[in-house]
Amino acid sequence: MNVRKNVVMVALAALVTGGALLVYGSGNTVAASDKLPDPEAEAAQARTGPEVLYDTTATPKLVRRILKMIVLAAETGDIEEMRAVLESNELKPMVAAKHVDDPIAYWKAQSVDGTGRDVLANMLDMLSTGFVLTGKGDTGMYVWPYFAEIDLTTLTPKEQVELYRLVPPKQAKAMMASGKYTGYRLGVAPNGIWHYFMK
């Protein structure tokens, strides 16, 4: 009787072991099929338009160079520090629909207290969000924030939070209702030339 019981126990153990091997021995096959759906990722992928990027280290070296210069100048809190960045650029970036001779003076005039610090804060906030690459080759442009190039009525909850962090809630709500981003945007070409920072 004990022998028969032992045989049954050994058989059960073999079945359990065999089942475990089938489940876990197949490598990533089961893991992939068991993956929980990601509604955020699926919604973003279903949307048409440029892919939203977050890794600036994947951009060309010259783009990373100008971005670093902009960030370092903005972090000083002194908008005059941005003058060296502008002078290193091949051309002055557009800061308004019409030509502006002195972007620094313009930013000071546009700021709430005349120092331009809120403008610098906007630059830093934008560059901390996702971005997109529009066009190809010579016509390409890295654009911050990505909201400037997508339909805001299609934002996922996570993306809506990112928008709320960038602009005041009332403005964000109005933008999502209209589908259009109306805040500051910044564009840098793949060759590292800073083309614009404007609304």
Side-chain angles (χ1 to χ4, degrees):
M1 194 71 172
N2 283 338
V3 172
R4 187 176 176 186
K5 186 176 178 182
N6 287 341
V7 169
V8 170
M9 293 300 288
V10 168
L12 283 171
L15 280 171
V16 170
T17 304
L21 286 172
L22 281 172
V23 173
Y24 298 107
S26 56
N28 294 330
T29 309
V30 173
S33 63
D34 283 349
K35 239 182 193 178
L36 291 173
D38 185 349
E40 289 277 342
E42 289 171 9
Q45 284 174 0
R47 181 172 57 218
T48 57
E51 179 189 359
V52 177
L53 309 167
Y54 286 90
D55 185 10
T56 55
T57 63
T59 61
K61 184 178 179 180
L62 291 174
V63 172
R64 297 196 305 273
R65 175 182 171 274
I66 192 69
L67 291 178
K68 184 177 180 181
M69 291 176 71
I70 293 169
V71 168
L72 290 176
E75 285 178 340
T76 67
D78 181 0
I79 202 161
E80 286 295 334
E81 292 293 321
M82 199 61 70
R83 201 171 293 281
V85 184
L86 298 177
E87 288 171 358
S88 74
N89 209 42
E90 193 173 299
L91 46 84
K92 289 178 184 174
M94 287 180 61
V95 295
K98 59 181 181 179
H99 174 73
V100 172
D101 228 16
D102 185 353
I104 303 293
Y106 178 80
W107 288 331
K108 284 181 178 179
Q110 294 296 306
S111 70
V112 295
D113 62 0
T115 67
R117 291 190 187 107
D118 53 318
V119 175
L120 298 177
N122 270 297
M123 286 184 191
L124 291 174
D125 284 344
M126 273 193 315
L127 293 176
S128 69
T129 68
F131 59 99
V132 295
L133 173 60
T134 63
K136 292 181 180 178
D138 293 338
T139 62
M141 189 74 66
Y142 288 97
V143 180
W144 284 264
Y146 65 91
F147 304 116
E149 296 294 331
I150 66 173
D151 178 359
L152 298 193
T153 63
T154 66
L155 293 184
T156 65
K158 176 176 177 270
E159 292 169 337
Q160 288 180 19
V161 170
E162 290 179 344
L163 180 62
Y164 279 124
R165 290 180 63 185
L166 192 61
V167 297
K170 284 185 179 178
Q171 286 182 30
K173 187 177 179 183
M175 289 178 192
M176 286 186 281
S178 70
K180 293 182 179 179
Y181 174 78
T182 56
Y184 278 109
R185 64 199 71 203
L186 186 149
V188 177
N191 61 5
I193 295 176
W194 180 10
H195 279 260
Y196 59 83
F197 172 69
M198 59 190 289
K199 288 187 178 180

